[in-house]
Amino acid sequence: MKTTYSVSKVQSNLPRVLKEAEDHVIAITRHDETVAYLISKERLESLIESLELMSNPKAMKAIRDAKAGRTKYLPLSALDED
């Protein structure tokens, strides 16, 4: 869900808009054109983590292999075996 506010509305209601941004993306407009987005810290961290994974060729190969059923999963107890 995305909510849109004008710059002047954001300026006059900043505490409420910040609280609302914890739950969903806020679009900020100037003259009916979107100029910025306000998102929560958690959502931003999630986006950054996704981008980091997507830029890692080994991680992407592991994900593709897992989706294709080519990954062998072992129980954690297998780590104890020497």
Side-chain angles (χ1 to χ4, degrees):
M1 180 177 160
K2 181 176 78 170
T3 303
T4 303
Y5 291 104
S6 67
V7 171
S8 59
K9 278 280 193 200
V10 171
Q11 288 173 328
S12 62
N13 295 294
L14 186 59
R16 183 174 61 83
V17 173
L18 289 174
K19 182 73 174 156
E20 196 173 327
E22 293 174 0
D23 298 325
H24 56 272
V25 176
I26 305 291
I28 302 172
T29 62
R30 182 184 302 127
H31 306 296
D32 295 324
E33 184 176 332
T34 300
V35 294
Y37 292 97
L38 184 59
I39 63 172
S40 69
K41 176 185 173 206
E42 289 79 17
R43 183 170 286 213
L44 178 60
E45 288 172 348
S46 174
L47 288 169
I48 290 169
E49 183 177 352
S50 295
L51 289 171
E52 287 173 348
L53 282 172
M54 292 171 66
S55 69
N56 181 325
K58 288 183 181 179
M60 290 307 297
K61 181 180 182 322
I63 291 169
R64 282 191 304 275
D65 288 347
K67 284 184 175 180
R70 294 187 299 257
T71 302
K72 182 178 178 183
Y73 295 96
L74 301 172
L76 285 177
S77 60
L79 296 174
D80 295 333
E81 298 172 9
D82 287 322

Coordinates of all heavy atoms in Angstrom, one line a residue:
M1 N 0.8 -1.2 0.0 CA 0.0 0.0 0.0 C 0.9 1.2 0.0 O 1.9 1.3 0.7 CB -0.9 0.0 1.2 CG -1.8 1.1 1.4 SD -2.8 0.9 2.8 CE -3.3 2.6 3.1
K2 N 0.6 2.2 -0.8 CA 1.3 3.4 -0.9 C 0.4 4.6 -0.7 O -0.7 4.7 -1.2 CB 2.0 3.6 -2.3 CG 2.8 4.8 -2.4 CD 3.5 4.9 -3.8 CE 2.6 5.2 -4.8 NZ 3.2 5.5 -6.1
T3 N 0.8 5.6 0.1 CA 0.0 6.8 0.4 C 0.8 7.9 -0.2 O 2.1 7.9 -0.2 CB -0.2 7.0 1.9 OG1 -0.8 5.8 2.4 CG2 -1.0 8.2 2.2
T4 N 0.1 9.0 -0.7 CA 0.8 10.1 -1.3 C 0.4 11.4 -0.5 O -0.8 11.6 -0.1 CB 0.3 10.3 -2.7 OG1 0.6 9.1 -3.4 CG2 1.0 11.4 -3.4
Y5 N 1.4 12.2 -0.2 CA 1.3 13.5 0.4 C 2.0 14.5 -0.3 O 3.1 14.2 -0.9 CB 1.8 13.4 1.9 CG 1.0 12.6 2.8 CD1 1.5 11.3 3.2 CD2 -0.2 13.0 3.4 CE1 0.8 10.6 4.1 CE2 -0.9 12.3 4.3 CZ -0.4 11.0 4.6 OH -1.1 10.3 5.5
S6 N 1.5 15.7 -0.3 CA 2.3 16.9 -0.9 C 3.4 17.3 0.1 O 3.3 16.9 1.3 CB 1.4 18.0 -1.1 OG 0.9 18.6 0.1
V7 N 4.4 18.0 -0.4 CA 5.5 18.4 0.5 C 4.9 19.3 1.6 O 5.3 19.1 2.8 CB 6.5 19.3 -0.3 CG1 7.5 19.9 0.6 CG2 7.2 18.4 -1.4
S8 N 4.0 20.1 1.4 CA 3.4 21.0 2.4 C 2.7 20.2 3.5 O 2.8 20.4 4.7 CB 2.5 22.1 1.9 OG 1.4 21.5 1.1
K9 N 2.0 19.1 3.1 CA 1.3 18.2 4.0 C 2.3 17.5 4.9 O 2.1 17.3 6.1 CB 0.4 17.2 3.3 CG -0.9 17.7 2.9 CD -1.8 17.7 4.1 CE -3.3 18.0 3.7 NZ -4.1 18.4 4.7
V10 N 3.4 17.0 4.3 CA 4.4 16.3 5.0 C 5.1 17.3 6.1 O 5.3 16.9 7.2 CB 5.5 15.7 4.1 CG1 6.7 15.2 4.9 CG2 4.9 14.6 3.3
Q11 N 5.3 18.5 5.6 CA 6.0 19.5 6.5 C 5.1 19.8 7.7 O 5.6 19.9 8.9 CB 6.2 20.8 5.8 CG 7.4 20.7 4.8 CD 7.5 21.9 4.0 OE1 6.6 22.6 3.6 NE2 8.8 22.2 3.6
S12 N 3.8 19.9 7.5 CA 2.9 20.2 8.6 C 2.5 19.0 9.5 O 1.9 19.2 10.5 CB 1.6 20.9 8.1 OG 0.9 20.1 7.2
N13 N 2.7 17.8 9.0 CA 2.3 16.6 9.7 C 3.4 15.6 9.8 O 3.2 14.4 9.8 CB 1.2 15.9 8.9 CG -0.1 16.8 8.9 OD1 -0.7 17.0 9.9 ND2 -0.4 17.2 7.7
L14 N 4.7 16.0 9.9 CA 5.8 15.1 9.9 C 5.8 14.0 10.9 O 6.0 12.8 10.5 CB 7.1 15.9 10.0 CG 8.4 15.1 9.8 CD1 8.4 14.4 8.5 CD2 9.6 15.9 10.0
P15 N 5.5 14.2 12.2 CA 5.4 13.1 13.1 C 4.5 12.0 12.7 O 4.8 10.8 12.8 CB 5.0 13.7 14.4 CG 5.5 15.1 14.3 CD 5.3 15.5 12.9
R16 N 3.3 12.4 12.3 CA 2.3 11.4 11.8 C 2.7 10.7 10.6 O 2.5 9.5 10.4 CB 0.9 12.1 11.6 CG -0.2 11.1 11.2 CD -1.5 11.8 11.2 NE -1.6 12.9 10.1 CZ -1.8 12.7 8.8 NH1 -2.0 11.5 8.4 NH2 -1.9 13.7 8.0
V17 N 3.3 11.4 9.6 CA 3.7 10.8 8.4 C 4.9 9.8 8.6 O 4.9 8.7 8.1 CB 4.1 11.9 7.3 CG1 4.8 11.2 6.1 CG2 3.0 12.7 7.0
L18 N 5.8 10.2 9.5 CA 6.9 9.2 9.9 C 6.3 8.0 10.5 O 6.8 6.9 10.2 CB 7.9 9.9 10.9 CG 8.7 11.0 10.3 CD1 9.6 11.7 11.4 CD2 9.6 10.4 9.2
K19 N 5.3 8.1 11.4 CA 4.7 6.9 12.0 C 4.1 6.1 10.9 O 4.2 4.8 11.0 CB 3.7 7.4 13.1 CG 3.0 6.3 13.8 CD 4.0 5.6 14.8 CE 3.2 4.6 15.6 NZ 4.1 3.6 16.1
E20 N 3.4 6.7 10.0 CA 2.7 6.0 8.9 C 3.7 5.2 8.0 O 3.5 4.1 7.5 CB 1.9 6.9 8.1 CG 0.9 6.3 7.2 CD 0.0 7.3 6.5 OE1 -0.3 8.4 7.2 OE2 -0.4 7.1 5.4
A21 N 4.9 5.8 7.8 CA 5.9 5.2 7.0 C 6.5 3.9 7.6 O 7.1 3.1 6.8 CB 7.1 6.2 6.8
E22 N 6.2 3.7 8.9 CA 6.7 2.4 9.4 C 5.9 1.2 8.9 O 6.3 0.1 8.8 CB 6.5 2.5 11.0 CG 7.4 3.4 11.7 CD 7.1 3.5 13.1 OE1 6.2 2.9 13.7 OE2 7.9 4.3 13.8
D23 N 4.7 1.5 8.4 CA 3.8 0.5 7.9 C 3.7 0.4 6.4 O 3.5 -0.7 5.8 CB 2.3 0.7 8.4 CG 2.3 0.6 9.9 OD1 3.0 -0.2 10.5 OD2 1.5 1.4 10.5
H24 N 4.0 1.5 5.6 CA 3.9 1.4 4.2 C 4.7 2.6 3.6 O 5.0 3.5 4.2 CB 2.5 1.3 3.7 CG 1.6 2.4 4.1 ND1 0.9 2.3 5.3 CD2 1.3 3.6 3.5 CE1 0.2 3.4 5.4 NE2 0.4 4.2 4.4
V25 N 4.9 2.5 2.3 CA 5.7 3.5 1.5 C 4.8 4.8 1.4 O 3.6 4.7 1.1 CB 6.0 3.0 0.1 CG1 6.7 4.1 -0.7 CG2 6.9 1.8 0.2
I26 N 5.5 5.9 1.6 CA 4.8 7.2 1.4 C 5.5 7.9 0.2 O 6.7 8.1 0.2 CB 5.1 8.1 2.7 CG1 4.6 7.4 4.0 CG2 4.4 9.5 2.5 CD1 3.2 7.3 4.1
A27 N 4.7 8.3 -0.7 CA 5.1 9.1 -1.9 C 5.0 10.6 -1.5 O 3.9 11.0 -1.0 CB 4.4 8.8 -3.1
I28 N 6.0 11.4 -1.8 CA 5.9 12.8 -1.5 C 5.9 13.5 -2.9 O 6.8 13.3 -3.7 CB 7.1 13.3 -0.6 CG1 7.1 12.5 0.7 CG2 7.0 14.8 -0.4 CD1 8.3 12.7 1.5
T29 N 4.9 14.4 -3.1 CA 4.7 15.1 -4.3 C 4.9 16.6 -4.2 O 4.7 17.2 -3.2 CB 3.3 14.8 -4.9 OG1 2.3 15.3 -4.1 CG2 3.1 13.3 -5.2
R30 N 5.3 17.2 -5.3 CA 5.4 18.6 -5.5 C 4.8 18.9 -6.8 O 5.2 18.4 -7.8 CB 6.9 19.1 -5.4 CG 7.0 20.6 -5.5 CD 8.4 21.1 -5.6 NE 9.2 20.7 -4.5 CZ 10.4 20.1 -4.6 NH1 10.9 19.8 -5.8 NH2 11.0 19.7 -3.5
H31 N 3.8 19.7 -6.8 CA 3.0 20.1 -8.0 C 2.6 18.8 -8.8 O 2.7 18.7 -10.0 CB 3.9 21.0 -9.0 CG 4.5 22.2 -8.3 ND1 3.7 23.2 -7.8 CD2 5.7 22.5 -8.0 CE1 4.4 24.1 -7.3 NE2 5.7 23.7 -7.4
D32 N 2.0 17.9 -8.0 CA 1.4 16.7 -8.5 C 2.4 15.7 -9.1 O 2.0 14.8 -9.9 CB 0.3 16.9 -9.5 CG -0.9 17.6 -8.8 OD1 -1.2 17.3 -7.6 OD2 -1.6 18.5 -9.5
E33 N 3.7 15.9 -8.9 CA 4.7 15.0 -9.4 C 5.5 14.4 -8.2 O 5.9 15.2 -7.3 CB 5.7 15.8 -10.3 CG 6.7 14.9 -11.0 CD 7.6 15.6 -12.0 OE1 7.2 16.6 -12.5 OE2 8.8 15.2 -12.1
T34 N 5.7 13.1 -8.2 CA 6.4 12.5 -7.1 C 7.8 12.9 -7.2 O 8.5 12.8 -8.2 CB 6.3 10.9 -7.2 OG1 4.9 10.6 -7.2 CG2 7.0 10.3 -6.1
V35 N 8.3 13.4 -6.0 CA 9.7 13.8 -5.9 C 10.5 13.0 -5.0 O 11.8 13.1 -5.0 CB 9.8 15.3 -5.5 CG1 9.2 16.2 -6.6 CG2 9.1 15.6 -4.2
A36 N 9.9 12.2 -4.1 CA 10.6 11.4 -3.1 C 9.7 10.3 -2.5 O 8.5 10.4 -2.7 CB 11.1 12.3 -2.0
Y37 N 10.3 9.4 -1.9 CA 9.6 8.3 -1.2 C 10.1 8.2 0.2 O 11.3 8.4 0.4 CB 9.8 6.9 -1.9 CG 9.1 6.9 -3.2 CD1 9.8 7.0 -4.4 CD2 7.7 6.6 -3.3 CE1 9.2 7.0 -5.6 CE2 7.1 6.5 -4.5 CZ 7.8 6.7 -5.7 OH 7.2 6.6 -6.9
L38 N 9.3 8.0 1.1 CA 9.7 7.8 2.5 C 9.4 6.3 2.9 O 8.2 5.9 2.7 CB 8.9 8.7 3.4 CG 9.2 8.8 4.9 CD1 10.7 9.2 5.1 CD2 8.3 9.8 5.6
I39 N 10.4 5.6 3.3 CA 10.2 4.2 3.6 C 10.8 3.9 5.0 O 11.7 4.6 5.4 CB 10.8 3.2 2.6 CG1 12.3 3.4 2.5 CG2 10.1 3.4 1.2 CD1 12.9 2.3 1.6
S40 N 10.4 2.8 5.6 CA 10.9 2.5 6.9 C 12.3 2.0 6.9 O 12.8 1.5 5.8 CB 10.0 1.4 7.6 OG 10.2 0.2 6.9
K41 N 13.0 2.1 8.0 CA 14.4 1.6 8.1 C 14.4 0.1 7.7 O 15.3 -0.4 7.0 CB 14.9 1.8 9.5 CG 16.3 1.2 9.7 CD 16.7 1.4 11.2 CE 18.0 0.7 11.4 NZ 18.2 0.3 12.8
E42 N 13.5 -0.7 8.2 CA 13.4 -2.1 8.0 C 13.3 -2.5 6.5 O 13.9 -3.3 6.0 CB 12.3 -2.8 8.8 CG 12.5 -2.8 10.3 CD 12.3 -1.5 11.0 OE1 11.6 -0.6 10.4 OE2 12.7 -1.3 12.1
R43 N 12.4 -1.7 5.8 CA 12.2 -1.9 4.4 C 13.5 -1.6 3.6 O 13.8 -2.3 2.7 CB 11.0 -1.1 3.9 CG 10.7 -1.4 2.4 CD 9.5 -0.8 2.0 NE 8.4 -1.6 2.5 CZ 7.2 -1.8 1.9 NH1 7.0 -1.3 0.8 NH2 6.3 -2.6 2.5
L44 N 14.1 -0.5 4.0 CA 15.3 -0.1 3.3 C 16.4 -1.2 3.5 O 17.1 -1.6 2.5 CB 15.8 1.2 3.8 CG 17.2 1.7 3.1 CD1 17.0 1.8 1.6 CD2 17.6 3.0 3.8
E45 N 16.6 -1.7 4.7 CA 17.6 -2.7 5.0 C 17.3 -4.0 4.2 O 18.2 -4.6 3.7 CB 17.7 -3.0 6.5 CG 18.3 -1.8 7.3 CD 18.2 -2.0 8.8 OE1 17.5 -2.9 9.3 OE2 18.9 -1.2 9.5
S46 N 16.0 -4.3 4.1 CA 15.6 -5.5 3.3 C 15.9 -5.3 1.8 O 16.4 -6.2 1.2 CB 14.1 -5.7 3.5 OG 13.7 -6.8 2.6
L47 N 15.7 -4.1 1.3 CA 16.0 -3.8 -0.1 C 17.5 -3.9 -0.3 O 18.0 -4.5 -1.3 CB 15.5 -2.5 -0.5 CG 14.0 -2.3 -0.7 CD1 13.7 -0.8 -0.8 CD2 13.6 -3.1 -1.9
I48 N 18.3 -3.4 0.6 CA 19.8 -3.4 0.4 C 20.3 -4.9 0.5 O 21.1 -5.3 -0.3 CB 20.4 -2.6 1.5 CG1 20.2 -1.1 1.2 CG2 22.0 -2.8 1.6 CD1 20.6 -0.2 2.4
E49 N 19.7 -5.7 1.4 CA 20.1 -7.1 1.5 C 19.8 -7.8 0.2 O 20.6 -8.6 -0.3 CB 19.4 -7.7 2.7 CG 19.9 -9.1 2.9 CD 19.2 -9.8 4.2 OE1 18.6 -9.1 4.9 OE2 19.4 -11.0 4.3
S50 N 18.6 -7.6 -0.3 CA 18.2 -8.2 -1.6 C 19.2 -7.8 -2.7 O 19.6 -8.7 -3.5 CB 16.8 -7.8 -1.9 OG 15.9 -8.4 -1.0
L51 N 19.5 -6.5 -2.8 CA 20.4 -6.1 -3.8 C 21.8 -6.7 -3.7 O 22.5 -7.1 -4.7 CB 20.5 -4.6 -3.8 CG 19.3 -3.8 -4.3 CD1 19.4 -2.3 -4.1 CD2 19.1 -4.1 -5.8
E52 N 22.3 -6.8 -2.4 CA 23.6 -7.5 -2.2 C 23.6 -8.9 -2.6 O 24.5 -9.4 -3.2 CB 24.0 -7.3 -0.7 CG 24.4 -5.9 -0.3 CD 24.6 -5.7 1.2 OE1 24.2 -6.6 2.0 OE2 25.1 -4.7 1.5
L53 N 22.5 -9.7 -2.3 CA 22.4 -11.0 -2.8 C 22.3 -11.1 -4.3 O 23.0 -12.0 -4.9 CB 21.1 -11.7 -2.2 CG 21.2 -12.1 -0.7 CD1 19.9 -12.6 -0.2 CD2 22.2 -13.2 -0.5
M54 N 21.6 -10.3 -4.9 CA 21.4 -10.3 -6.3 C 22.7 -10.0 -7.1 O 22.9 -10.4 -8.2 CB 20.3 -9.4 -6.8 CG 18.9 -9.8 -6.3 SD 17.6 -8.6 -6.6 CE 17.6 -8.5 -8.4
S55 N 23.6 -9.2 -6.4 CA 24.9 -8.9 -7.0 C 26.0 -9.9 -6.8 O 27.1 -9.7 -7.3 CB 25.3 -7.5 -6.6 OG 25.7 -7.5 -5.2
N56 N 25.7 -10.9 -6.0 CA 26.6 -12.0 -5.7 C 26.4 -13.2 -6.6 O 25.4 -13.9 -6.4 CB 26.5 -12.3 -4.2 CG 27.5 -13.4 -3.8 OD1 27.9 -14.3 -4.5 ND2 27.9 -13.2 -2.5
P57 N 27.2 -13.4 -7.6 CA 27.0 -14.5 -8.5 C 26.9 -15.9 -7.8 O 26.1 -16.7 -8.2 CB 28.2 -14.5 -9.4 CG 28.7 -13.1 -9.3 CD 28.4 -12.7 -7.9
K58 N 27.7 -16.1 -6.7 CA 27.7 -17.4 -6.0 C 26.3 -17.6 -5.3 O 25.7 -18.7 -5.3 CB 28.8 -17.5 -5.1 CG 30.2 -17.8 -5.7 CD 31.3 -17.9 -4.7 CE 32.6 -18.1 -5.4 NZ 33.7 -18.3 -4.4
A59 N 25.8 -16.5 -4.7 CA 24.6 -16.6 -4.0 C 23.4 -16.8 -5.0 O 22.5 -17.6 -4.7 CB 24.3 -15.3 -3.2
M60 N 23.5 -16.2 -6.1 CA 22.4 -16.4 -7.1 C 22.4 -17.8 -7.7 O 21.4 -18.4 -7.9 CB 22.6 -15.3 -8.2 CG 22.2 -13.9 -7.8 SD 20.6 -13.7 -7.0 CE 19.5 -14.2 -8.3
K61 N 23.6 -18.3 -7.9 CA 23.7 -19.7 -8.4 C 23.1 -20.7 -7.3 O 22.4 -21.6 -7.7 CB 25.2 -20.1 -8.7 CG 25.3 -21.5 -9.2 CD 26.7 -21.9 -9.5 CE 26.9 -23.3 -10.1 NZ 26.0 -24.3 -9.6
A62 N 23.4 -20.4 -6.1 CA 22.9 -21.3 -5.0 C 21.4 -21.2 -5.0 O 20.7 -22.2 -4.8 CB 23.5 -20.9 -3.6
I63 N 20.8 -20.0 -5.1 CA 19.4 -19.9 -5.2 C 18.8 -20.6 -6.4 O 17.8 -21.3 -6.2 CB 19.0 -18.4 -5.1 CG1 19.4 -17.7 -3.8 CG2 17.5 -18.1 -5.5 CD1 19.3 -16.2 -3.8
R64 N 19.4 -20.4 -7.5 CA 18.9 -21.1 -8.7 C 18.9 -22.6 -8.6 O 18.0 -23.3 -8.9 CB 19.6 -20.7 -10.0 CG 19.2 -19.3 -10.5 CD 19.9 -19.0 -11.9 NE 21.3 -19.1 -11.9 CZ 22.2 -18.2 -11.6 NH1 21.7 -17.0 -11.2 NH2 23.5 -18.4 -11.6
D65 N 20.0 -23.1 -8.0 CA 20.2 -24.5 -7.8 C 19.1 -25.1 -6.8 O 18.5 -26.1 -7.0 CB 21.6 -24.9 -7.3 CG 22.7 -24.7 -8.3 OD1 22.3 -24.6 -9.5 OD2 23.9 -24.7 -8.0
A66 N 18.9 -24.3 -5.7 CA 17.9 -24.7 -4.7 C 16.5 -24.8 -5.4 O 15.7 -25.7 -5.2 CB 17.9 -23.8 -3.5
K67 N 16.2 -23.8 -6.2 CA 14.9 -23.7 -6.8 C 14.7 -24.9 -7.8 O 13.6 -25.4 -8.0 CB 14.7 -22.4 -7.5 CG 14.3 -21.2 -6.6 CD 14.1 -20.0 -7.4 CE 13.6 -18.9 -6.5 NZ 13.3 -17.6 -7.3
A68 N 15.8 -25.3 -8.4 CA 15.7 -26.3 -9.4 C 15.8 -27.7 -8.8 O 15.8 -28.7 -9.5 CB 16.9 -26.2 -10.4
G69 N 16.0 -27.8 -7.5 CA 16.0 -29.1 -6.8 C 17.4 -29.7 -6.9 O 17.5 -30.9 -6.6
R70 N 18.4 -29.0 -7.2 CA 19.8 -29.5 -7.3 C 20.6 -29.3 -6.0 O 21.8 -29.5 -6.1 CB 20.5 -28.8 -8.5 CG 19.9 -29.1 -9.8 CD 20.7 -28.6 -10.9 NE 20.9 -27.2 -10.9 CZ 20.2 -26.3 -11.6 NH1 19.4 -26.7 -12.5 NH2 20.4 -25.0 -11.5
T71 N 20.0 -29.0 -4.9 CA 20.7 -28.8 -3.7 C 20.5 -29.9 -2.7 O 19.3 -30.4 -2.5 CB 20.2 -27.4 -3.0 OG1 20.5 -26.4 -4.0 CG2 21.0 -27.1 -1.8
K72 N 21.5 -30.4 -2.1 CA 21.4 -31.5 -1.1 C 21.4 -30.8 0.3 O 22.4 -30.1 0.6 CB 22.6 -32.4 -1.3 CG 22.5 -33.6 -0.3 CD 23.7 -34.6 -0.5 CE 23.6 -35.7 0.4 NZ 24.7 -36.6 0.3
Y73 N 20.4 -31.1 1.0 CA 20.3 -30.6 2.4 C 20.7 -31.7 3.4 O 20.3 -32.8 3.2 CB 18.9 -30.1 2.7 CG 18.5 -28.9 1.8 CD1 17.8 -29.1 0.6 CD2 18.9 -27.6 2.2 CE1 17.5 -28.0 -0.1 CE2 18.6 -26.5 1.4 CZ 17.9 -26.7 0.2 OH 17.5 -25.6 -0.5
L74 N 21.5 -31.3 4.4 CA 21.9 -32.3 5.4 C 21.4 -31.8 6.8 O 21.3 -30.6 7.0 CB 23.4 -32.4 5.4 CG 24.1 -32.8 4.1 CD1 25.6 -32.7 4.2 CD2 23.7 -34.3 3.8
P75 N 21.2 -32.7 7.7 CA 20.9 -32.3 9.1 C 22.0 -31.6 9.7 O 23.2 -31.8 9.4 CB 20.5 -33.6 9.8 CG 21.2 -34.6 9.0 CD 21.3 -34.1 7.6
L76 N 21.8 -30.7 10.7 CA 22.8 -30.0 11.4 C 23.8 -31.0 12.1 O 25.0 -30.7 12.2 CB 22.2 -29.1 12.4 CG 21.6 -27.8 11.9 CD1 21.0 -27.0 13.0 CD2 22.7 -27.0 11.1
S77 N 23.3 -32.1 12.4 CA 24.2 -33.1 13.1 C 25.3 -33.6 12.2 O 26.3 -34.0 12.6 CB 23.4 -34.3 13.5 OG 22.7 -34.9 12.4
A78 N 25.2 -33.4 10.9 CA 26.3 -33.7 9.9 C 27.5 -32.9 10.2 O 28.6 -33.3 9.8 CB 25.8 -33.6 8.5
L79 N 27.3 -31.7 10.8 CA 28.5 -30.9 11.0 C 29.3 -31.4 12.2 O 30.5 -31.1 12.3 CB 28.0 -29.4 11.4 CG 27.3 -28.7 10.3 CD1 26.8 -27.4 10.8 CD2 28.2 -28.4 9.1
D80 N 28.7 -32.2 13.0 CA 29.4 -32.8 14.2 C 30.3 -34.0 13.8 O 31.2 -34.4 14.5 CB 28.5 -33.2 15.3 CG 27.7 -32.0 15.8 OD1 28.3 -30.9 15.8 OD2 26.6 -32.2 16.3
E81 N 30.1 -34.6 12.7 CA 30.8 -35.7 12.2 C 32.2 -35.3 11.7 O 32.3 -34.5 10.9 CB 30.0 -36.5 11.2 CG 28.7 -37.0 11.6 CD 27.9 -37.6 10.5 OE1 28.4 -37.8 9.4 OE2 26.7 -37.9 10.8
D82 N 33.2 -36.0 12.2 CA 34.6 -35.7 11.8 C 35.2 -36.9 11.1 O 35.2 -37.9 11.3 CB 35.4 -35.2 13.0 CG 35.1 -33.8 13.4 OD1 34.7 -33.0 12.5 OD2 35.1 -33.6 14.6

